[in-house]
């Protein structure tokens, strides 16, 4: 949707703005005039009275990284919809523009942000509204600058830094805005206060048909307010798990001395980005009715598939190298978050550390609780020495492992003494589910050979699984 208050652009005329001088690189070269999305040659761009260069500041470039190369064994690359790869060229232009103003942590992150912006223009036809979590360890990492770029390119932006939750509830409708929330850590922190309603809206709005019920009007009638809307949230530190699990996470970092960006200036940056926004609307808004029934081939499952589906829909609509590039970004970024979760989630960290202790002890069948605690606390890089008031103790350990169905039991050791202990085979299932060893190879099932007539079948080979079926799953109880 075009913004009537901004400099309008169209296929027949162009807005002129000064060329963008990239720090350390000088002014960009002139770009050639190419056919527009309708297939006809565009007129010579209008020239500014202050500059005789073309209106468009720099030529779009397609990054030739490994993520952009189609994988022969991967999903099929589709042809772009529209004339002459309209969507492919447009996404290339948008990706280049975003990369000029913000240094993103990876090429995959730049691809994800580009597709997220484009997906905002078809959100009335989507079933899920993915969040974009823009997080960083400190201030000055470019989080707010990325929101500035998003504000000028997404569909109907609504900045919610100081917006009342009641206003947000009432503006979300059949054609919802794109919520942009800066300083999101203040909403979810201990001082959230009256912003708790906004937090609930952000949690519920990831999926369609999840309204928020409020008492409204002079008659105090229960009223259902729609919550479905895409949202980008920027803040210091990780956001709550309920948000991060529904988000494409962009982990920003401070720029290194050699990393250069184009200064964001309203007089030329805004017209350029608005031109891209209008081109996105012209391409995607007419396709809102068709995307509702689109089921793209997903490389991930469950909640991650819900979050990435709108982005892959846009990539498939664009065609060219975008379907392969989008799926490569999806796999890389979801795997990165799995690793991040394993490193930051306390209970998962405990499972990983206990597995390390068992490995160091030479494959013992069981470890006394006190021996296990002593080794955990000695790890200077682990949080266990500072857990609670005096460090991790036996009660804390049992409490943290209870959700995994693991508990200590009396165990008789070789010297005949018994003590509270944890057995290795209690952890096998939890290790496989929550922190699988990436180095462990998954055994391939072999089809048994057909026995030769007249000969008895060969006996099965290989080691038996630990513990007989239906046998004890924990330490041996004492009598």
């Amino acid at each position: 949707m075009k913004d009537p208050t901004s400099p309008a652009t169209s296929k027949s005329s162009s807005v002129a703005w000064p060329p963008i001088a990239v720090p350390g690189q000088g002014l960009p070269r002139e770009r050639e005039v190419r056919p527009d999305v309708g297939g006809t040659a565009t007129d010579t761009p209008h020239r500014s009275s202050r500059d005789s260069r073309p209106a468009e500041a720099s030529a779009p470039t397609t990054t030739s990284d490994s993520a952009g190369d189609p994988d022969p064994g991967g999903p099929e690359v589709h042809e772009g919809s529209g004339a002459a790869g309209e969507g492919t060229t447009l996404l290339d232009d948008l990706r280049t523009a975003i990369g000029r103003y913000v240094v993103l942590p990876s090429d995959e992150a730049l691809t994800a942000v580009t597709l997220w912006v484009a997906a905002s223009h078809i959100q009335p036809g989507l079933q899920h509204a993915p969040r974009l979590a823009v997080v960083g360890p400190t201030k000055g990492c470019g989080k707010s600058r990325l929101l500035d770029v998003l504000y000028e390119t997404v569909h109907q932006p609504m900045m919610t830094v100081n917006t009342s939750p009641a206003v947000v509830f009432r503006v979300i409708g059949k054609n919802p805005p794109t919520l942009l929330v800066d300083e999101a850590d203040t909403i979810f922190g201990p001082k959230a206060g009256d912003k708790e309603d906004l937090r609930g809206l952000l949690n519920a709005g990831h999926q369609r048909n999840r309204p928020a019920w409020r008492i409204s009007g002079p008659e105090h009638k229960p009223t259902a307010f729609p919550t479905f809307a895409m949202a980008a949230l920027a803040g210091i530190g990780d956001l709550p798990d309920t948000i991060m699990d529904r988000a494409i996470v962009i982990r920003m970092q401070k720029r290194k001395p050699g990393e250069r960006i184009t200064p964001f200036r309203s007089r030329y940056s805004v017209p350029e980005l608005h031109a891209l926004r209008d081109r996105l609307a012209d391409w995607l808004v007419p396709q809102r009715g068709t995307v509702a029934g689109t089921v793209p081939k997903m490389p991930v499952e469950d909640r991650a598939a819900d979050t990435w589906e709108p982005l892959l829909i846009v990539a498939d609509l664009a065609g060219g190298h975008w379907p392969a590039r989008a799926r490569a970004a999806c796999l890389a970024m979801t795997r990165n978050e799995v690793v991040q979760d394993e490193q930051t989630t306390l209970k998962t960290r405990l499972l990983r550390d206990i597995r390390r202790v068992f490995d160091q002890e030479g494959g013992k069948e069981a470890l006394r609780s006190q021996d296990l605690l002593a080794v955990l606390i000695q790890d200077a890089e682990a949080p266990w020495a500072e857990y609670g008031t005096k460090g991790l103790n036996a009660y804390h350990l049992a409490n943290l492992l209870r959700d995994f169905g693991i508990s200590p039991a009396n165990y008789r050791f070789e010297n005949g003494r018994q003590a509270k202990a944890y057995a290795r085979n209690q952890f096998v299932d939890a290790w496989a589910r929550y922190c699988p060893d990436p180095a462990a190879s998954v055994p391939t099932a072999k089809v048994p050979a057909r026995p030769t007539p007249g000969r008895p079948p060969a006996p099965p080979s290989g080691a038996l699984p630990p513990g007989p079926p239906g046998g004890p799953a924990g330490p041996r109880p004492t009598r």
Side-chain angles (χ1 to χ4, degrees):
M1 178 177 293
K2 298 179 175 56
D3 185 356
T5 62
S6 64
T9 58
S10 66
K11 299 183 180 64
S12 60
S13 62
S14 302
V15 173
W17 57 82
I20 299 175
V22 180
Q25 300 180 17
L27 295 174
R29 295 176 296 179
E30 283 191 12
R31 76 183 281 179
E32 298 178 358
V33 179
R34 62 166 183 254
D36 67 359
V37 297
T40 59
T42 57
D43 298 333
T44 302
H46 296 287
R47 301 178 185 270
S48 168
S49 59
R50 295 175 294 176
D51 192 1
S52 60
R53 290 183 179 271
E56 294 193 13
S58 62
T61 57
T62 303
T63 305
S64 58
D65 55 9
S66 60
D69 297 331
D71 184 1
E76 180 182 357
V77 177
H78 305 277
E79 293 295 332
S81 60
E86 165 193 357
T88 304
T89 301
L90 178 51
L91 291 184
D92 288 346
D93 291 351
L94 178 61
R95 190 177 191 272
T96 300
I98 295 173
R100 281 204 302 269
Y101 296 111
V102 187
V103 175
L104 289 163
S106 64
D107 286 336
E108 291 83 6
L110 179 56
T111 296
V113 172
T114 302
L115 293 170
W116 190 89
V117 170
S120 70
H121 292 269
I122 58 171
Q123 60 178 317
L126 301 174
Q127 293 300 313
H128 293 88
R131 277 75 182 96
L132 191 72
V134 185
V135 298
T138 63
K139 63 181 181 180
C141 294
K143 301 182 295 295
S144 296
R145 175 61 71 234
L146 179 56
L147 286 190
D148 291 337
V149 175
L150 297 180
Y151 187 85
E152 308 302 340
T153 51
V154 299
H155 167 71
Q156 291 186 2
M158 180 178 179
M159 194 70 77
T160 60
V161 176
N162 294 317
T163 303
S164 165
V167 174
V168 180
F169 275 116
R170 284 163 175 79
V171 298
I172 295 178
K174 293 182 179 180
N175 188 16
T178 305
L179 305 179
L180 305 176
V181 184
D182 203 359
E183 300 179 2
D185 47 302
T186 63
I187 297 176
F188 304 106
K191 300 181 180 179
D194 58 354
K195 296 180 180 178
E196 193 65 28
D197 284 346
L198 184 57
R199 174 178 179 169
L201 182 149
L202 294 170
N203 281 331
H206 177 260
Q207 187 172 349
R208 190 175 291 279
N209 299 325
R210 296 292 186 272
W213 288 87
R214 294 291 184 272
I215 299 297
S216 179
E219 298 181 359
H220 302 284
K221 291 184 177 181
T223 305
F225 291 94
T227 61
F228 182 81
M230 291 178 64
L233 304 94
I236 296 176
D238 280 6
L239 302 174
D241 290 341
T242 54
I243 294 292
M244 299 289 278
D245 193 38
R246 295 167 170 82
I248 295 159
V249 182
I250 310 295
R251 298 187 177 275
M252 303 292 288
Q253 298 289 337
K254 279 196 171 185
R255 287 190 290 122
K256 294 184 292 188
E259 292 178 328
R260 304 289 183 180
I261 60 172
T262 298
F264 187 89
R265 298 292 181 267
S266 298
R267 63 180 180 274
Y268 55 79
S269 301
V270 170
E272 174 197 16
L273 296 176
H274 280 187
L276 289 168
R277 179 201 62 193
D278 295 343
R279 290 170 60 193
L280 286 170
D282 291 341
W283 171 45
L284 292 170
V285 169
Q287 305 192 59
R288 289 178 178 175
T290 61
V291 299
T294 302
V295 182
K297 184 178 180 180
M298 301 300 301
V300 292
E301 298 177 342
D302 301 327
R303 183 65 58 77
D306 296 340
T307 300
W308 278 88
E309 183 182 73
L311 280 66
L312 298 189
I313 288 175
V314 172
D316 288 346
L317 288 174
H321 55 262
W322 278 97
R325 168 176 279 175
R327 285 166 173 84
C330 173
L331 284 173
M333 295 185 69
T334 51
R335 287 171 180 169
N336 181 65
E337 286 309 303
V338 169
V339 174
Q340 289 285 340
D341 184 67
E342 289 180 1
Q343 294 176 349
T344 57
T345 301
L346 196 63
K347 293 181 180 180
T348 307
R349 171 66 184 269
L350 180 60
L351 288 175
R352 294 170 59 242
D353 287 352
I354 291 176
R355 180 173 60 187
R356 175 179 52 81
V357 175
F358 270 103
D359 292 342
Q360 291 175 353
E361 294 296 326
K364 289 184 178 180
E365 184 181 349
L367 292 174
R368 293 195 311 167
S369 299
Q370 295 303 321
D371 294 339
L372 179 58
L373 284 168
V375 179
L376 291 173
I377 293 174
Q378 287 175 1
D379 188 353
E381 298 181 357
W384 313 122
E386 300 177 356
Y387 187 86
T389 56
K390 297 182 180 180
L392 189 69
N393 58 34
Y395 172 78
H396 296 149
L397 181 62
N399 191 44
L400 289 171
L401 295 174
R402 183 175 295 115
D403 289 341
F404 302 112
I406 300 171
S407 59
N410 291 328
Y411 187 87
R412 189 177 298 278
F413 290 87
E414 295 177 356
N415 58 8
R417 300 182 62 181
Q418 67 176 17
K420 289 288 187 180
Y422 289 91
R424 171 187 285 272
N425 60 3
Q426 286 183 286
F427 294 90
V428 172
D429 183 72
W431 287 338
R433 293 180 184 275
Y434 297 98
C435 52
D437 187 358
S441 58
V442 179
T444 304
K446 296 182 179 180
V447 179
R450 181 175 298 177
T452 305
R455 293 186 181 180
S461 61
L464 293 176
R476 296 185 302 238
T478 58
R479 295 184 179 179

